[in-house]
Amino acid sequence: MRIAQLAPLAESVPPKLYGGTERVIAWLMDELVELGHDVTLFASGDSKTKGKLHPVWPRALRLGRRGADPSAACALLIEAIAERASDFDVIHSHVDWLPLPVLSRTGVPFLTTMHGRLDLPGLSKVIGAFPSAGFVSISDNQRRPLPDANWIATIQHGMPKDLFRPSYDHGSYLAFLGRLTADKGPEAAIRIARAARMPLRVAAKIPRAETAYFKKKLEPNIDGEEIRLVGEVDEIRKQPFLAGAAALLFPINWPEPFGLVMIEAMACGTPVIAYRWGSVPEVVEDGVTGFIVDNEEQAIAAVNELGRLDRRAVRARFEERFAASRMAREYEIRYRELVDRGVRAAESVQIPGGDEGFAKGAAQSSRPVGTASDSGR
């Protein structure tokens, strides 16, 4: 199939540092190419892919020239796919809501993977405006705020099996990896580590909007020894950071749609201690790949129980459940459903009078957009 992938422009694909969505898109692109598909990535010009790259903006917005207008960049992304829509059998968007008005009018089957939280005001109105648009959730919990959307599947993220090497040593510290925002739980991670008498290593991005939070709530508690901030880590440094940890702390305080760092830790054989929010019960197998807890007291107790988990079993479950090849095959099924449904709809159009040319054009214009089977519900 000829497949277009639309990526956000905040980060490159894959990202240089932080960026879960863009990392998943990169893995999906490469796996689809390996499956034999003709895949084009619409993304920033500093992206790299085994497929074809259609550069929309010179450089990822976050690391590019300060002051660049994100709306202008997104306008170019939407215009690029509008101009080239007929080159593809199916379009896969990872850009949430903005492309929907254009994609709904191209006549090309499309689907949108939602990567963020969906419990925000006004989203039900958007869903109502595009009833035929097909959506993919990355966890079942993510879709709960919008039950009336046309959910065609839940497809959990996957990553290449050989990307991270596992370590089966017990680890000498606790790890926190993510954005330093209150909903990610870095304050709780510090308290848990101290109460458990374990060092904590924090590999994290400090968003510009969260600078005041960092300076007030976190910086006074980072002593550089027991609680150490190592900053953002790239793909090369992330593996030893996670592999050397006794566990990843994931004390989130929001409905996490997936939590890519959890499976990155599992790929290293590192168990996860996570709060029971959002997707966590769908990703972590309690007592196998980590512990699911409800508060700090339970998290501290879980640290003391890490010795009874088998890190080889953690890695094995990662390979069984969260490989990028599995993710790509699941998307491939949905693409084929979209394309096949469009073909069937076109073939069913009957035009009296035998004007084949007119009939063909009418059939193409009547092809439903963005719909698929209910097999993912």
Side-chain angles (χ1 to χ4, degrees), residues 177-210:
L177 176 61
R179 288 181 289 111
L180 290 181
T181 59
D183 56 14
K184 292 288 188 178
E187 294 174 77
I190 292 172
R191 291 193 295 266
I192 292 165
R194 281 187 168 154
R197 300 183 182 278
M198 287 279 290
L200 178 69
R201 302 293 177 259
V202 179
K205 165 186 176 180
I206 306 173
R208 291 174 186 169
E210 301 293 338

Side-chain angles (χ1 to χ4, degrees), residues 32-79:
L32 290 172
V33 171
E34 291 296 321
L35 288 171
H37 299 293
D38 181 359
V39 196
T40 301
L41 173 66
F42 291 74
S44 63
D46 52 346
S47 299
K48 299 183 184 302
T49 177
K50 290 182 180 179
K52 300 172 182 176
L53 176 63
H54 183 121
V56 174
W57 196 257
R59 194 161 183 245
L61 293 170
R62 185 169 76 91
L63 300 179
R65 185 175 180 181
R66 183 167 295 186
D69 186 345
S71 297
C74 192
L76 289 180
L77 173 67
I78 294 171
E79 176 62 15

Side-chain angles (χ1 to χ4, degrees), residues 120-244:
L120 304 176
L123 295 188
S124 59
K125 292 184 179 180
V126 181
I127 290 297
F130 302 95
S132 64
F135 295 97
V136 171
S137 53
I138 55 179
S139 66
D140 288 338
N141 183 272
Q142 181 198 27
R143 63 168 69 180
R144 290 179 63 184
L146 296 175
D148 295 329
N150 180 25
W151 295 111
I152 62 176
T154 289
I155 300 179
Q156 294 181 327
H157 290 334
M159 57 185 286
K161 288 183 180 180
D162 59 355
L163 185 63
F164 287 168
R165 301 183 312 278
S167 171
Y168 302 127
D169 294 333
H170 290 300
S172 58
Y173 55 86
L174 299 173
F176 179 94
L177 176 61
R179 288 181 289 111
L180 290 181
T181 59
D183 56 14
K184 292 288 188 178
E187 294 174 77
I190 292 172
R191 291 193 295 266
I192 292 165
R194 281 187 168 154
R197 300 183 182 278
M198 287 279 290
L200 178 69
R201 302 293 177 259
V202 179
K205 165 186 176 180
I206 306 173
R208 291 174 186 169
E210 301 293 338
T211 301
Y213 167 74
F214 171 75
K215 289 188 174 297
K216 182 178 181 180
K217 298 292 186 179
L218 301 178
E219 193 171 43
N221 295 302
I222 297 174
D223 58 19
E225 296 182 5
E226 291 304 305
I227 310 297
R228 185 183 303 171
L229 177 65
V230 300
E232 282 191 75
V233 292
D234 58 18
E235 207 78 343
I236 295 174
R237 292 186 295 160
K238 185 184 294 183
Q239 187 276 333
F241 174 77
L242 289 173

Side-chain angles (χ1 to χ4, degrees), residues 339-352 358-368:
V339 173
D340 290 347
R341 177 169 290 197
V343 170
R344 289 195 301 271
E347 291 174 346
S348 68
V349 174
Q350 300 294 325
I351 304 297
F358 180 77
K360 181 178 180 182
Q364 290 177 338
S365 67
S366 68
R367 179 171 58 184

